Amino acid sequence: MRQQHRAARYFAYGSNMAPSVLTGRRGVTPKMSLPGSIAGYVLSFRLRGLPYVEPGFGTIEAAGMGDRGDVHGVVHAVSAAQWQSITRSEGVNRSTQYGYQVVRLACEMYDSSTVTVVTLQAAPASLVQGSSNGPLGVSGAVRPSGRYLSLVRTGAEHHGVAAEYRLWLGSLKAFDSDRLESRLGATATAGALTGGFALALPLALPLVPLALPLALLAASRLGGSGSRSSSGRSRSSSGGSGSSNGGGSSSVGGSSSSGAGSSSGGSGSRSSTGGSSGGGSGSSSGCRAASGGNDSSAQDDAGGALLGSASTAVWALHDWVLSPLFGSGR
């Protein structure tokens, strides 16, 4: 059944708060952007990145003992096409096991009104293990790179996120990638990745004659679904899908129903940008509403599983080999 495309209120809590990322890098200019907060969740950086280089990326997790009780961010009013672009650029796809998942949550705006938003949360299998680090709780379990943390702080300041929250962001520590041990760890990680690829390539070459017909078949299926998706978007736009971005105080677009599609919940993988997906009509439906119908193919599942397995292997190497030698890479 074809999903309906609608405008969305997207709650950004990480680097997508920064205009240099959302507009400059992803090419998305929201109709409106206003700060708000979601109770019961907390910002963490446990979405697995690359040890010693980009240890972790932003996600939200249910607040537990020792965590602050809310996460602040920016609600962007975006069109259906822009929301699809965001989820695509964050790697969200059909898999519910790895990467970012789409979730729907209630967000309190700074004028005390409440709206339903869509946001991204990392799947549990994509999280770096370890849940606490002193007084920062889960937010300190993984230290992001200085580059990433700077984008989060810049975006929060640009959009007028609460001063108390910005002070809290300032208390978070970035990973020190300039230490000699960190540089050695980064070099060893890169060597392991390239060495693993070089080792795997000769083993995979005999499989090429078998894999080529399957790849051609997959390409033809993806091409067909892309055509159907384009025609679906055309019909949706010509029919004037009900945008929730039209006027209305800080409800970031009027009515309080979010709209990332007729059913929201999780779907993605880093494949977008990972976590359990809540809200909507189930934990695996929301992003499919935003993905233009391409979820009929099993390639997304395979791609998500492949990336997830590679990430798991990298972090196992870190935990068992590199960390004892060079210190923690997170």
Side-chain angles (χ1 to χ4, degrees):
M1 181 176 68
R2 188 178 301 280
Q3 300 285 353
Q4 182 181 2
H5 295 269
R6 297 179 182 174
R9 294 191 189 92
Y10 163 51
F11 181 81
Y13 51 78
S15 63
N16 279 344
M17 289 193 291
S20 62
V21 175
L22 187 63
T23 301
R25 185 186 306 167
R26 306 197 195 283
V28 173
T29 302
K31 183 176 181 180
M32 186 186 302
S33 298
L34 293 173
S37 65
I38 296 176
Y41 286 82
V42 65
L43 172 68
S44 87
F45 303 95
R46 289 208 297 151
L47 175 60
R48 289 189 301 212
L50 193 62
Y52 302 103
V53 182
E54 289 279 358
F57 297 98
T59 184
I60 56 172
E61 299 188 53
M65 188 70 69
D67 298 326
R68 65 172 293 130
D70 59 3
V71 56
H72 288 242
V74 180
V75 181
H76 299 297
V78 295
S79 67
Q82 288 174 325
W83 172 237
Q84 184 178 3
S85 176
I86 291 168
T87 56
R88 186 189 306 117
S89 66
E90 293 285 13
V92 176
N93 63 31
R94 188 171 182 247
S95 171
T96 60
Q97 301 302 312
Y98 299 99
Y100 281 122
Q101 311 290 295
V102 176
V103 297
R104 292 183 69 190
L105 297 170
C107 175
E108 182 177 357
M109 308 305 294
Y110 282 6
D111 68 352
S112 298
S113 63
T114 300
V115 298
T116 301
V117 297
V118 286
T119 192
L120 303 176
Q121 183 180 23
S126 291
L127 296 177
V128 176
Q129 297 306 305
S131 59
S132 65
N133 184 18
L136 291 175
V138 72
S139 300
V142 175
R143 293 167 293 168
S145 69
R147 178 200 69 83
Y148 188 85
L149 187 56
S150 177
L151 289 171
V152 176
R153 292 168 175 166
T154 298
E157 181 177 5
H158 177 86
H159 289 289
V161 168
E164 177 274 329
Y165 190 79
R166 285 187 277 127
L167 285 174
W168 178 79
L169 287 176
S171 72
L172 301 178
K173 304 299 182 183
F175 180 76
D176 186 2
S177 59
D178 292 329
R179 294 185 310 126
L180 175 61
E181 294 86 346
S182 298
R183 293 181 179 180
L184 292 174
T187 301
T189 301
L193 289 173
T194 55
F197 176 78
L199 178 64
L201 185 59
L203 299 176
L205 286 177
L207 301 178
V208 170
L210 298 176
L212 185 58
L214 295 177
L216 293 175
L217 177 61
S220 65
R221 289 183 63 188
L222 288 174
S225 64
S227 300
R228 291 192 296 273
S229 172
S230 298
S231 63
R233 284 194 295 270
S234 176
R235 285 193 294 271
S236 174
S237 59
S238 64
S241 63
S243 169
S244 60
N245 293 338
S249 65
S250 68
S251 59
V252 195
S255 70
S256 64
S257 65
S258 162
S262 57
S263 57
S264 259
S267 99
S269 166
R270 202 157 200 73
S271 308
S272 217
T273 302
S276 66
S277 18
S281 58
S283 66
S284 63
S285 59
C287 189
R288 288 202 279 272
S291 64
N294 287 342
D295 61 325
S296 59
S297 172
Q299 272 67 38
D300 279 349
D301 283 334
L306 180 61
L307 290 173
S309 298
S311 177
T312 298
V314 168
W315 278 95
L317 175 68
H318 165 268
D319 293 342
W320 292 97
V321 179
L322 301 182
S323 184
L325 290 175
F326 307 115
S328 175
R330 62 180 177 92

